[in-house]
Amino acid sequence: MRTFHIQVKHRSASYAASRIAPAVRQMIRQFSADQGARFALYCYFPDRPPGQIIRLTREELESSLGSLSDSYTSELKDWFIKSFEVIFAPDFIAQFRSVLDHLKSVLRARNEAEALCWHAVIHGHLRDVILGRPPGERKVSLDDLRDLVHDARAAVFEASYAQVCGHEKYLKLLREQYKSRTANVPNRERLFVIECDDRVHILDLVEIVTCLRDRYHVGDSPPPYIAFRGEVNLTHLKHALWQERIYFHDGFDYGGADFNPDSLVSPPLPGYGVKLVEFKHLAELSGCVRIHEVHDFYLRNPATEFFSEARARHAVVEAPSDLRVILGGKHGRGKR
């Protein structure tokens, strides 16, 4: 069912079909293109009790359509009336406070300020789901929201920790979080997204790739996917990796070929410990492999998530060289 929400500007205004006419005209236009759809208009009027449901009469529909009435057949109008209902809801403030109360009880927000923060995070996520996924695939579970809030809480904590305790202690905190707790690396597909600026050193990136390969491509665990975004010359990086005999797959079967995600997922010459993927090709890759973990190390803003089913981990860094400390315990080549 497709839903629309409307709230009158004047709290003293009483209900009349003319007040919902713009929404009705929009919905019948959509109904004419898809007559299997069902519509609900949620609205608040002070003279209607919350929970009341009504259907428009034929006269009210004709009045709402006005000069557009002749654009639709009599049969289509009758079917639309049967497929459309008006649901009177509480006023916006009451609804909003109810949502905050649920956030405090279900997602364990400690107070209203934290509930407001999680509301903004969830609102942004739902907007991205609506804009980024086709109808029928816009499903969000309670576990998804819990993971979303968990990651947001971690990001807020880490940013505050870095400001209060200093960058070196912040890196030590991240290193502890990424330290392996067992002798074995779980068999999972992982993607590492690393943001770079124009001051990044190619040799730092080579060491990062080496560290990720040695850390995660062990036993039955598959080679990690690595995507660099921002100001990085991938041609120079690939040349430097080959010079160091760090072999990789990148989804290009030969020089000048188009990107082939299947070739990257199931390479013709298995055995290389790294899979480099250009950031712009991540969307193509998402349809060919299920990524279980996404680790996003960013300088300014977190990366857009291409793998909505994966557990995402976002961490802000001052420079890509910080990863050498976080993952390998080495000192960086300088801040950039």
Side-chain angles (χ1 to χ4, degrees), residues 105-223:
S105 63
V106 177
L107 297 181
R108 298 182 180 179
R110 290 169 291 187
N111 49 48
E112 186 165 304
E114 190 171 75
L116 285 168
C117 178
W118 303 151
H119 180 275
V121 170
I122 292 172
H123 181 275
H125 177 70
L126 295 180
R127 179 199 59 216
D128 293 341
V129 168
I130 292 171
L131 297 178
R133 300 183 194 175
E137 298 182 12
R138 298 169 180 172
K139 298 179 181 179
V140 178
S141 68
L142 179 58
D143 285 340
D144 294 334
L145 296 183
R146 287 195 174 107
D147 288 344
L148 185 70
V149 168
H150 177 274
D151 293 337
R153 183 180 281 116
V156 171
F157 167 75
E158 289 170 3
S160 302
Y161 189 96
Q163 285 186 330
V164 175
C165 300
H167 188 64
E168 294 301 323
K169 288 187 177 180
Y170 169 65
L171 293 184
K172 184 178 180 180
L173 172 70
L174 290 180
R175 182 180 174 183
E176 286 296 317
Q177 294 175 353
Y178 274 90
K179 183 182 295 183
S180 177
R181 306 300 179 188
T182 63
N184 300 318
V185 176
N187 183 359
R188 299 171 187 161
E189 295 285 4
R190 297 175 177 86
L191 167 65
F192 293 84
V193 181
I194 302 165
E195 185 179 12
C196 303
D197 59 18
D198 57 0
R199 291 168 288 181
V200 68
H201 200 292
I202 287 294
L203 292 183
D204 278 327
L205 301 186
V206 170
E207 293 186 21
I208 290 169
V209 171
T210 304
C211 182
L212 290 172
R213 179 199 63 183
D214 296 344
R215 178 79 172 273
Y216 292 102
H217 183 47
V218 294
D220 295 328
S221 188

Side-chain angles (χ1 to χ4, degrees), residues 294-305:
V294 175
H295 300 267
D296 172 38
F297 295 93
Y298 65 95
L299 304 177
R300 301 174 188 86
N301 298 302
T304 302
E305 294 184 25

Side-chain angles (χ1 to χ4, degrees), residues 40-58:
L41 175 63
Y42 289 84
C43 54
Y44 166 75
F45 289 92
D47 63 334
R48 295 288 179 139
Q52 182 182 17
I53 301 175
I54 67 170
R55 295 187 184 276
L56 294 181
T57 65
R58 180 63 178 268

